[in-house]
């Protein structure tokens, strides 16, 4: 296209120059022709002109007064006076004159040249521009030919050149830019691409690594993570979110409401989308999940929301237990304290007869003792709660601990006519001595406490197949079947009044349960009402 334009432009310029050149030549030719004809006219007059006949140029012979003597193209009598013609005026004045104007006679732009003859008449010759144009027209065909050939050649050459330029570019392997071998002019371009390639590659690697890190973190989170846009469509979620909500995989564009339709969840999503933080709990399949929802902003514009789902079942249960425990502790402490304060008040008022003073003091002593035991048990349980998982194990002489406790409790047993029998292997175990001691004491003490007159307690410690089994069996009152799963709960007592009478706090088996858990042990309870109870701890 460009080459075509250049070619046309050069043709126009050349034609212009040729036109100018031919015009000049034509004028000179006309002038020479007139000199030659004027010599003929000077000698032979009109006869010469008539003999000359038709020539390319128009010849006009004009008298001094402007009348036409002869004209090669027109009838002289029909022609007007030519005295006012520019070239005639100049010729009469200076011997020769010329002008360039439109000829009414010829109907074309014409060049006129006039010369003064000896008899003061003027001989004029004129030629049209058509002569020059026709001359140029004759050149048009070869020009067009040259133009077409040049055009075809330029198309062919430019195709070849552009092919030579583009082929190496098309053949560039962007992945192996360092190995590209091409023409010199492309080297800076290749170098720039190679540099950009490296930059892009490192950015891609960085992004990929960040993405992997993000995926690893979110996939290993036990918390569920959900991100949604302002149309509530899910943008991101992790496996935990689906697991916790019990939802199916999110396929394509899906609203976050599909994952959970509970009122609290929908409300949390709506609050996040209205720019507010919110927290709520939802219950699903007996588990409690905390939903923390926050709005997400992108350059100060609300873009969507993010939800974190946390399983708070254990936390909530612990919280409930703690609340229950605090209420129980207050109640358990208040009862003996109320008794103590009641007895003391009566004693203080002086209405207690001297002989009853001992009994009253005894009551206060018993209640205080109960209080001390209770506080002691509460402290032990609190320690379990505080130290869970933090205590260091050491080698302990299990058999020694069992025998010590049997010795300590023999007196109590004999007061109830209960016999303690034991069968113990030599067992050394990794554990916390004070905790094992407490467990052994509580189990044997219960077996005595809840035994019958002339009853029996059988204590067995065995180590088989890497397992340590410690069991305490009694021939006592047993535990009703319905109560058996609950006796390990804090402050739980089967028969409250009886248990209180014999000094129970309802914390003994809780301590055993915690102690077993601390040592990764399991507890088995077998009991038959009125026949007896066997509690085994397997470590
Ligand atoms: P307490 O201090 O009241 O004995 P525990 O936690 O040790 O509290 O026991 C909880 C309850 O389980 C007791 O109140 C009692 O009713 C029952 N219990 C525990 N051990 C025995 C047993 N060996 N025989 C019968 N009942 C028992």
């Amino acid at each position: 296209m460009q080459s075509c334009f250049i070619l046309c432009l050069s043709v126009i310029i050349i034609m212009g120059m040729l036109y100018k050149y031919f015009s000049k030549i034509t004028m000179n030719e006309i002038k020479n022709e007139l000199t030659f004809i004027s010599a003929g006219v000077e000698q032979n007059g009109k006869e010469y002109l008539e003999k000359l006949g038709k020539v390319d140029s128009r010849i006009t012979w004009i008298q001094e007064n402007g009348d036409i003597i002869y004209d090669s193209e027109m009838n002289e009598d029909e022609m007007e006076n030519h005295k006012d013609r520019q070239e005639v005026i100049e010729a009469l004045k200076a011997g020769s004159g010329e002008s360039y104007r439109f000829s009414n006679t010829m109907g074309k732009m014409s060049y006129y040249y006039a010369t003064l003859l000896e008899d003061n008449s003027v001989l004029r010759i004129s030629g049209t521009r058509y002569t020059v144009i026709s001359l140029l027209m004759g050149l048009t065909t070869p020009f067009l030919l040259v133009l077409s050939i040049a055009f075809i050649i330029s198309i062919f050459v430019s195709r070849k050149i552009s092919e030579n330029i583009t082929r190496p570019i098309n053949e560039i392997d962007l992945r192996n830019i360092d190995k590209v071998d091409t023409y010199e002019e492309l080297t800076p371009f290749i170098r720039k691409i190679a540099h950009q390639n490296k930059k892009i590659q490192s950015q891609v690697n960085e992004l990929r690594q960040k993405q992997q890190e993000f995926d690893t973190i979110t996939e290993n989170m036990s918390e569920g993570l959900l991100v949604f846009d302002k149309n509530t469509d899910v943008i991101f979620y992790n496996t935990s979110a689906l697991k916790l909500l019990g939802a199916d995989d999110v396929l394509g564009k899906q609203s976050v409401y599909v994952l959970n339709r509970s009122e609290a969840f929908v409300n949390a999503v709506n609050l996040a989308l209205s720019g507010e933080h919110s927290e709520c709990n939802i219950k699903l399949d007996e588990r409690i999940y905390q939903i923390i929802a926050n709005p997400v902003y992108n350059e100060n514009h609300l873009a969507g929301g993010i939800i974190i789902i946390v399983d708070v079942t254990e936390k909530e249960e612990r919280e409930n237990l703690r609340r229950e425990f605090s209420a129980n502790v207050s109640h358990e402490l208040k009862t003996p304290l109320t008794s103590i304060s009641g007895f003391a008040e009566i004693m203080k008022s002086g209405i207690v007869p001297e002989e009853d003073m001992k009994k009253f003091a005894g009551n206060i002593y018993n209640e205080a003792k109960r209080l001390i035991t209770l506080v002691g048990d509460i402290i032990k349980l609190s320690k379990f709660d505080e130290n869970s998982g933090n205590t260091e194990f050491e080698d302990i002489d299990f058999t020694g601990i069992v025998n010590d406790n049997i010795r300590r409790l023999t007196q109590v047993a004999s007061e109830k006519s209960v016999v303690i029998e034991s069968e113990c292997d030599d067992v050394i175990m990794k554990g916390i001595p004070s905790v094992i001691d407490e467990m052994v004491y509580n189990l044997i003490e219960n077996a005595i406490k809840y035994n019958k007159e002339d009853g029996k307690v059988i204590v067995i410690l065995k180590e088989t197949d890497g397992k340590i089994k410690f069991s305490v069996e009694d021939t006592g009152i047993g535990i009703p079947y319905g109560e058996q799963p609950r006796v390990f709960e804090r402050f739980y007592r089967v028969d409250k009044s009886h248990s209180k009478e014999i000094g129970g706090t309802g914390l003994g088996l809780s301590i055993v349960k915690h102690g077993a858990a601390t040592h990764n042990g399991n507890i088995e309870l077998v009991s038959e009402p009125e026949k007896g109870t066997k509690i085994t701890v397997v470590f």
Side-chain angles (χ1 to χ4, degrees):
M1 187 69 203
Q2 279 162 329
S3 56
C4 190
F5 173 74
I6 290 167
L7 274 171
C8 289
L9 192 73
S10 41
V11 165
I12 290 167
I13 293 169
I14 290 169
M15 289 294 252
M17 281 162 71
L18 283 177
Y19 178 77
K20 233 176 163 177
Y21 174 72
F22 282 134
S23 299
K24 210 168 171 183
I25 287 180
T26 313
M27 272 186 229
N28 285 339
E29 267 179 10
I30 286 173
K31 277 179 189 174
N32 287 341
E33 203 179 342
L34 188 66
T35 317
F36 180 70
I37 295 171
S38 58
V41 172
E42 291 274 21
Q43 273 181 16
N44 300 318
K46 197 175 176 180
E47 198 185 337
Y48 173 78
L49 288 173
E50 280 162 358
K51 264 191 197 156
L52 200 64
K54 210 132 179 77
V55 282
D56 281 347
S57 314
R58 177 185 167 200
I59 312 286
T60 315
W61 191 14
I62 306 152
Q63 273 182 11
E64 194 181 356
N65 63 3
D67 289 343
I68 310 297
I69 306 165
Y70 172 84
D71 191 274
S72 60
E73 303 287 329
M74 297 271 294
N75 187 350
E76 302 82 39
D77 300 331
E78 287 169 16
M79 287 174 71
E80 58 186 51
N81 188 289
H82 268 46
K83 201 170 181 180
D84 59 343
R85 301 295 195 273
Q86 172 81 29
E87 66 281 1
V88 177
I89 296 167
E90 276 177 24
L92 285 170
K93 224 182 195 175
S96 73
E98 61 184 342
S99 86
Y100 194 70
R101 65 170 187 278
F102 188 81
S103 158
N104 289 332
T105 318
M106 307 293 283
K108 288 169 188 156
M109 282 299 286
S110 302
Y111 172 70
Y112 296 94
Y113 182 68
T115 184
L116 189 66
L117 299 183
E118 278 173 7
D119 61 352
N120 274 344
S121 65
V122 174
L123 190 65
R124 187 187 76 172
I125 190 163
S126 70
T128 59
R129 193 166 60 171
Y130 179 73
T131 338
V132 180
I133 289 173
S134 65
L135 200 74
L136 286 175
M137 284 300 272
L139 287 174
T140 313
T141 318
F143 260 134
L144 280 177
L145 200 71
V146 169
L147 194 73
S148 311
I149 294 169
F151 184 64
I152 291 165
I153 291 173
S154 76
I155 287 179
F156 178 75
V157 170
S158 60
R159 275 228 181 119
K160 206 79 200 150
I161 291 171
S162 64
E163 201 185 295
N164 281 346
I165 293 171
T166 53
R167 196 180 4 90
I169 296 175
N170 288 335
E171 281 171 2
I172 291 172
D173 181 2
L174 287 173
R175 278 163 303 181
N176 292 312
I177 200 87
D178 294 334
K179 289 177 193 143
V180 170
D181 183 24
T182 182
Y183 51 89
E184 215 183 301
E185 289 82 351
L186 267 186
T187 317
F189 174 64
I190 300 281
R191 222 178 285 142
K192 201 156 185 130
I193 291 182
H195 178 70
Q196 287 290 336
N197 254 8
K198 267 188 199 141
K199 217 167 158 183
I200 291 169
Q201 199 51 48
S202 83
Q203 280 170 349
V204 166
N205 286 345
E206 208 175 299
L207 278 175
R208 197 173 291 148
Q209 199 187 333
K210 278 195 177 145
Q211 180 68 42
Q212 270 169 359
E213 279 171 13
F214 181 74
D215 286 349
T216 314
I217 292 168
T218 52
E219 278 312 302
N220 285 301
M221 268 169 71
S222 54
E223 292 84 8
L225 183 67
L226 277 175
V227 184
F228 48 92
D229 64 17
K230 54 184 172 194
N231 301 319
T232 75
D233 288 331
V234 176
I235 297 172
F236 177 82
Y237 62 93
N238 65 354
T239 318
S240 291
L242 299 184
K243 215 166 82 189
L244 295 179
L245 294 174
D248 293 331
D249 211 350
V250 178
L251 301 169
K253 224 176 179 195
Q254 219 173 54
S255 170
V256 72
Y257 296 139
V258 176
L259 301 177
N260 189 276
R261 294 183 192 275
S262 71
E263 202 187 324
F265 185 81
V266 172
N267 205 26
V269 171
N270 290 342
L271 279 172
L273 290 181
S274 62
E276 276 180 54
H277 162 90
S278 69
E279 284 178 27
C280 65
N281 283 0
I282 59 169
K283 209 169 170 189
L284 274 172
D285 298 330
E286 297 304 311
R287 297 203 70 81
I288 304 159
Y289 300 110
Q290 187 183 22
I291 305 287
I292 306 163
N294 273 307
V296 172
Y297 289 95
N298 185 10
E299 288 173 0
N300 289 336
H301 293 290
L302 190 83
I306 183 165
I307 280 184
I308 293 171
I309 308 152
V310 191
D311 186 343
V312 289
T313 316
E314 273 77 32
K315 193 181 150 210
E316 284 291 304
E317 277 172 0
R318 266 203 311 276
E319 195 57 31
N320 282 343
L321 256 169
R322 196 191 56 76
R323 273 195 289 268
E324 216 174 277
F325 184 64
S326 305
N328 281 333
V329 166
S330 321
H331 178 75
E332 295 295 329
L333 290 176
K334 211 176 155 199
T335 319
L337 276 172
T338 314
S339 301
I340 291 170
S341 127
F343 289 128
E345 196 180 5
I346 300 168
M347 285 166 79
K348 192 183 125 201
S349 66
I351 55 164
V352 181
E354 193 63 37
E355 61 271 23
D356 288 341
M357 280 295 264
K358 214 171 169 186
K359 194 178 135 205
F360 270 72
N363 285 340
I364 290 176
Y365 174 73
N366 285 337
E367 289 296 340
K369 230 172 89 184
R370 195 173 130 68
L371 208 59
I372 290 165
T373 317
L374 192 67
V375 171
D377 282 353
I378 291 168
I379 289 170
K380 276 170 215 153
L381 271 174
S382 307
K383 271 189 188 152
F384 275 125
D385 289 344
E386 274 169 31
N387 297 334
S388 51
N390 287 338
T391 26
E392 287 206 357
F393 284 10
E394 56 183 87
D395 282 336
I396 54 172
D397 174 10
F398 206 147
T399 322
I401 290 175
V402 174
N403 288 332
D404 277 354
N405 277 298
I406 293 174
R407 225 168 291 130
R408 268 161 72 194
L409 288 161
T410 306
Q411 176 64 26
V412 185
S414 62
E415 278 168 17
K416 256 197 110 177
S417 315
V418 171
V419 182
I420 305 175
E421 288 177 6
S422 69
E423 197 183 310
C424 294
D425 287 352
D426 283 337
V427 177
I428 303 289
M429 145 179 160
K430 285 251 179 250
I432 308 158
S434 60
V435 175
I436 297 292
D437 183 72
E438 194 64 41
M439 289 167 72
V440 171
Y441 182 88
N442 284 347
L443 288 173
I444 301 175
E445 194 202 22
N446 276 358
I448 300 166
K449 266 198 309 195
Y450 302 104
N451 218 318
K452 291 177 189 163
E453 201 83 5
D454 299 324
K456 213 200 269 180
V457 174
I458 304 156
V459 180
I460 298 172
L461 177 66
K462 286 244 171 283
E463 186 168 12
T464 40
D465 304 329
K467 280 186 176 168
I468 298 166
K469 277 190 183 179
F470 173 69
S471 67
V472 180
E473 190 178 354
D474 63 63
T475 52
I477 58 169
I479 305 166
Y481 295 111
E483 312 274 352
Q484 287 178 16
R486 301 202 60 189
V487 289
F488 294 95
E489 287 174 20
R490 292 175 184 194
F491 293 111
Y492 193 83
R493 280 165 292 189
V494 177
D495 180 349
K496 285 201 175 8
S497 55
H498 182 66
S499 177
K500 197 176 161 189
E501 203 180 281
I502 56 176
T505 60
L507 294 172
L509 287 183
S510 284
I511 293 168
V512 173
K513 187 179 124 185
H514 274 281
T518 309
H519 290 85
N520 294 322
N522 287 319
I523 300 175
E524 291 163 10
L525 167 75
V526 182
S527 181
E528 206 178 320
E530 300 307 323
K531 285 254 171 88
T533 303
K534 184 180 180 184
I535 295 177
T536 312
V537 188
V538 185
F539 298 99

